[in-house]
Amino acid sequence: MKIVEKKLTYEKLIGNNYKYWNSGDSIIFNGGTGTRKTSWVFDVLQPYCKANNKKILYLSNRTKLKEQIEDAIKYKELSNIYIMNYQALERQLNDKIEIPTYDYIIADECH
Protein backbone atom coordinates (compact mmCIF):
# COMPACT_ATOMS: atom_id res chain seq x y z
CA MET A 1 0.00 0.00 0.00
CA LYS A 2 1.41 3.35 -1.05
CA ILE A 3 0.80 6.29 1.25
CA VAL A 4 0.43 9.60 -0.55
CA GLU A 5 1.09 12.65 1.53
CA LYS A 6 -0.79 15.72 0.38
CA LYS A 7 0.56 19.07 1.36
CA LEU A 8 -1.91 21.80 2.10
CA THR A 9 -0.81 24.87 0.14
CA TYR A 10 -1.43 28.44 1.20
CA GLU A 11 -3.61 28.85 -1.90
CA LYS A 12 -5.88 26.04 -0.75
CA LEU A 13 -5.75 26.97 2.92
CA ILE A 14 -6.63 30.63 2.36
CA GLY A 15 -8.73 30.32 -0.77
CA ASN A 16 -10.37 33.69 -1.48
CA ASN A 17 -10.54 34.69 2.20
CA TYR A 18 -7.81 37.31 1.69
CA LYS A 19 -10.35 39.38 -0.25
CA TYR A 20 -12.34 39.79 2.97
CA TRP A 21 -9.52 40.72 5.31
CA ASN A 22 -10.09 44.13 6.88
CA SER A 23 -7.73 46.97 7.68
CA GLY A 24 -6.12 46.18 11.03
CA ASP A 25 -6.50 42.40 10.73
CA SER A 26 -3.39 40.41 11.66
CA ILE A 27 -2.92 37.25 9.64
CA ILE A 28 0.02 35.03 10.53
CA PHE A 29 1.49 32.45 8.15
CA ASN A 30 3.48 29.93 10.13
CA GLY A 31 5.58 27.85 7.81
CA GLY A 32 9.19 26.87 7.43
CA THR A 33 11.64 27.84 4.75
CA GLY A 34 10.48 26.77 1.30
CA THR A 35 6.77 26.48 2.10
CA ARG A 36 5.94 29.14 -0.51
CA LYS A 37 4.74 31.92 1.77
CA THR A 38 6.46 34.57 -0.36
CA SER A 39 5.26 32.88 -3.54
CA TRP A 40 1.70 33.24 -2.27
CA VAL A 41 2.28 36.98 -1.80
CA PHE A 42 3.70 37.32 -5.34
CA ASP A 43 1.33 34.95 -7.13
CA VAL A 44 -1.99 35.56 -5.34
CA LEU A 45 -2.00 38.67 -3.17
CA GLN A 46 0.00 40.94 -5.50
CA PRO A 47 -2.22 40.46 -8.59
CA TYR A 48 -5.31 41.07 -6.45
CA CYS A 49 -3.75 44.22 -5.02
CA LYS A 50 -2.66 45.46 -8.43
CA ALA A 51 -6.18 44.99 -9.83
CA ASN A 52 -7.62 46.89 -6.84
CA ASN A 53 -5.01 49.69 -6.59
CA LYS A 54 -3.64 48.40 -3.29
CA LYS A 55 -0.04 48.61 -2.08
CA ILE A 56 2.05 46.04 -0.23
CA LEU A 57 4.97 46.78 2.09
CA TYR A 58 7.31 43.80 2.44
CA LEU A 59 9.51 44.00 5.55
CA SER A 60 12.64 41.89 5.84
CA ASN A 61 15.04 41.30 8.68
CA ARG A 62 18.27 40.93 6.71
CA THR A 63 19.90 42.75 3.81
CA LYS A 64 20.43 39.48 1.92
CA LEU A 65 16.72 38.62 2.17
CA LYS A 66 15.82 42.16 1.11
CA GLU A 67 18.05 41.81 -1.95
CA GLN A 68 16.47 38.46 -2.85
CA ILE A 69 12.98 39.93 -2.61
CA GLU A 70 14.05 42.99 -4.62
CA ASP A 71 15.45 40.72 -7.34
CA ALA A 72 12.21 38.71 -7.45
CA ILE A 73 10.12 41.89 -7.61
CA LYS A 74 12.25 43.25 -10.45
CA TYR A 75 12.22 39.92 -12.32
CA LYS A 76 8.44 39.56 -12.02
CA GLU A 77 7.93 43.29 -12.73
CA LEU A 78 5.76 43.80 -9.65
CA SER A 79 5.06 47.50 -9.31
CA ASN A 80 2.95 47.64 -6.15
CA ILE A 81 5.27 45.87 -3.69
CA TYR A 82 7.68 48.04 -1.72
CA ILE A 83 10.45 46.49 0.35
CA MET A 84 12.20 47.78 3.43
CA ASN A 85 14.25 46.36 6.28
CA TYR A 86 12.83 46.55 9.79
CA GLN A 87 15.77 48.76 10.73
CA ALA A 88 14.97 51.31 7.99
CA LEU A 89 11.35 51.42 9.14
CA GLU A 90 12.48 51.93 12.73
CA ARG A 91 14.77 54.78 11.63
CA GLN A 92 11.92 56.47 9.78
CA LEU A 93 9.65 56.14 12.81
CA ASN A 94 12.31 57.46 15.18
CA ASP A 95 13.07 60.37 12.85
CA LYS A 96 9.35 61.09 12.51
CA ILE A 97 9.52 60.67 8.73
CA GLU A 98 6.10 60.25 7.21
CA ILE A 99 5.53 56.67 6.10
CA PRO A 100 3.21 56.04 3.15
CA THR A 101 0.03 54.10 3.73
CA TYR A 102 0.05 50.46 2.69
CA ASP A 103 -2.91 48.14 2.40
CA TYR A 104 -0.92 45.04 3.33
CA ILE A 105 2.26 44.76 5.38
CA ILE A 106 4.19 41.53 5.07
CA ALA A 107 6.49 41.07 8.08
CA ASP A 108 8.83 38.32 6.91
CA GLU A 109 10.78 36.43 9.57
CA CYS A 110 9.26 38.56 12.31
CA HIS A 111 10.08 36.15 15.11
Side-chain angles (χ1 to χ4, degrees), residues 85-97:
N85 282 346
Y86 293 106
Q87 296 85 348
L89 177 62
E90 180 182 32
R91 256 189 318 279
Q92 287 185 3
L93 291 169
N94 286 338
D95 293 342
K96 298 186 181 2
I97 296 172

Side-chain angles (χ1 to χ4, degrees), residues 4-85:
V4 177
E5 182 180 321
K6 289 187 177 184
K7 291 186 178 180
L8 184 60
T9 64
Y10 288 101
E11 289 89 348
K12 288 180 184 175
L13 178 65
I14 298 166
N16 286 326
N17 290 329
Y18 64 94
K19 294 178 181 179
Y20 306 102
W21 294 342
N22 296 306
S23 179
D25 285 352
S26 296
I27 310 299
I28 299 174
F29 290 6
N30 184 11
T33 303
T35 58
R36 302 190 45 81
K37 298 176 300 291
T38 302
S39 295
W40 182 86
V41 171
F42 289 167
D43 299 342
V44 178
L45 185 61
Q46 185 278 332
Y48 168 76
C49 287
K50 186 171 184 174
N52 292 282
N53 296 316
K54 295 180 182 287
K55 296 188 305 184
I56 300 169
L57 174 61
Y58 197 106
L59 295 171
S60 71
N61 66 337
R62 295 177 282 117
T63 300
K64 187 67 176 169
L65 176 60
K66 180 179 180 279
E67 291 168 354
Q68 290 172 345
I69 299 300
E70 287 172 333
D71 288 346
I73 289 169
K74 185 183 290 184
Y75 175 77
K76 292 178 175 270
E77 300 179 355
L78 307 177
S79 60
N80 59 331
I81 298 181
Y82 305 87
I83 184 158
M84 182 185 299
N85 282 346

